[in-house]
Amino acid sequence: GAVVSQHPSRVICKSGTSVKIECRSLDFQATTMFWYRQFPKQSLMLMATSNEGSKATYEQGVEKDKFLINHASLTLSTLTVTSAHPEDSSFYICSAELAGGYSGANVLTFGAGSRLTVL
Amino acid sequence: ILNVEQSPQSLHVQEGDSTNFTCSFPSSNFYALHWYRWETAKSPEALFVMTLNGDEKKKGRISATLNTKEGYSYLYIKGSQPEDSATYLCAFKSGGYQKVTFGTGTKLQVIP
C-alpha cells in the first residue's frame, strides 16, 4: 500500500534555529500534501496545502514566512520551521493525497509525525 | 470554520464488549466523511471513506454508518480486542475544497 515516510520523528533544537521536516511518498506520486499541527488534546489542525510545483496555500493564522513549505517533486514535501521559538514546539504531521485529482474517495496517507521541541 | 465533533473523547471497554462512537459534522455541502485509526507511535490509517447518505461500510469487526442529512456518522466495533486500542478520527470533506477537517478523536482503550 501507499506509504509516506516522515522524518525526523523527534527533533530538539535551540531557539532561533531552523528545523526541516521531510515527507516522502515512497511508492506513489503525491500531487497534494497537507501539513498539520497538533496541540495536546486537540484535533489535527491543517496548516497548509502544498501542490507539486506551485506555492503552498496556507490556512488563516499560519505564518508562511515562519513555516516554509516546499513541494518540489511528486514524492517530496518539506516543512521548515524558521527561527524556531518554544511556542513552536508541537507535533507536526503530513499527509498525501494520491495523484490523479482529488475526490471524496481519496483517502489520505499519513506520515508518522514529527515531535519538535524548541528549547 | 467547519465544526467536526466526536464523542466521547475517550472510553474504556472490556475485551469482548461492543462499542460505538459518534462523529458530527455540518449537514450542508457534504462531500465525504473519512474514518481513520491512529495507534500510538504509528501513522493514522484509513478505515473508511463514505460519500453517500445511508452508506454502511464494514471491515472485519468494525463498521460505520453515515447520515448526511442530519450530519452524523457512527463507528461500531464488535467484540473489542486489545489491538483495537487507538484513537479513532473522523474527517469531513465539503464540496469544492481539497482539505478535510478533523474531529478531535475518540481514544479507545480495550482492557484485557
Side-chain angles (χ1 to χ4, degrees):
Chain A
V3 175
V4 171
S5 173
Q6 181 174 349
H7 68 91
S9 58
R10 291 183 180 273
V11 57
I12 300 172
C13 69
K14 293 181 179 179
S15 286
T17 61
S18 295
V19 173
K20 182 186 281 188
I21 300 169
E22 290 190 350
C23 273
R24 292 181 183 273
S25 55
L26 297 185
D27 48 5
F28 68 101
Q29 294 182 327
T31 51
T32 302
M33 282 207 179
F34 303 95
W35 286 93
Y36 304 86
R37 181 174 180 175
Q38 187 182 36
F39 294 100
K41 298 188 178 181
Q42 294 190 25
S43 65
L44 296 174
M45 183 193 78
L46 181 66
M47 298 175 66
T49 301
S50 73
N51 292 295
E52 184 267 336
S54 63
K55 288 183 180 179
T57 303
Y58 289 81
E59 295 299 302
Q60 192 173 7
V62 178
E63 299 176 60
K64 59 182 178 183
D65 294 330
K66 174 119 184 113
F67 299 100
L68 299 179
I69 290 172
N70 185 279
H71 193 164
S73 77
L74 285 171
T75 59
L76 175 63
S77 178
T78 61
L79 166 68
T80 301
V81 183
T82 63
S83 187
H85 289 282
E87 58 264 31
D88 298 326
S89 298
S90 194
F91 183 80
Y92 296 87
I93 190 169
C94 66
S95 68
E97 196 166 58
L98 291 172
Y102 88 96
S103 78
N106 279 354
V107 294
L108 298 174
T109 301
F110 285 86
S114 300
R115 173 75 58 190
L116 170 64
T117 302
V118 184
L119 303 176
Chain B
I1 297 176
L2 299 175
N3 198 23
V4 181
E5 296 184 351
Q6 290 187 247
S7 63
Q9 285 190 344
S10 65
L11 75 162
H12 294 73
V13 300
Q14 289 293 135
E15 182 176 354
D17 286 352
S18 294
T19 187
N20 64 84
F21 19 94
T22 308
C23 172
S24 301
F25 50 85
S27 56
S28 60
N29 203 22
F30 176 87
Y31 198 91
L33 193 283
H34 298 192
W35 280 100
Y36 295 86
R37 174 169 60 200
W38 194 358
E39 295 178 67
T40 302
K42 294 186 179 180
S43 308
E45 170 199 358
L47 288 173
F48 304 115
V49 177
M50 309 176 82
T51 56
L52 298 175
N53 183 44
D55 251 357
E56 291 188 27
K57 300 271 188 177
K58 188 174 181 182
K59 187 176 182 179
R61 295 178 290 99
I62 304 176
S63 60
T65 61
L66 179 68
N67 183 322
T68 61
K69 296 186 186 305
E70 296 181 40
Y72 65 83
S73 175
Y74 292 136
L75 189 80
Y76 300 91
I77 302 179
K78 185 177 178 182
S80 303
Q81 299 296 308
E83 58 264 31
D84 297 328
S85 297
T87 295
Y88 291 82
L89 296 172
C90 69
F92 168 78
K93 197 164 192 175
S94 59
Y97 296 98
Q98 281 184 305
K99 65 182 183 182
V100 296
T101 301
F102 283 86
T104 50
T106 293
K107 187 171 183 178
L108 171 68
Q109 187 164 353
V110 181
I111 303 164

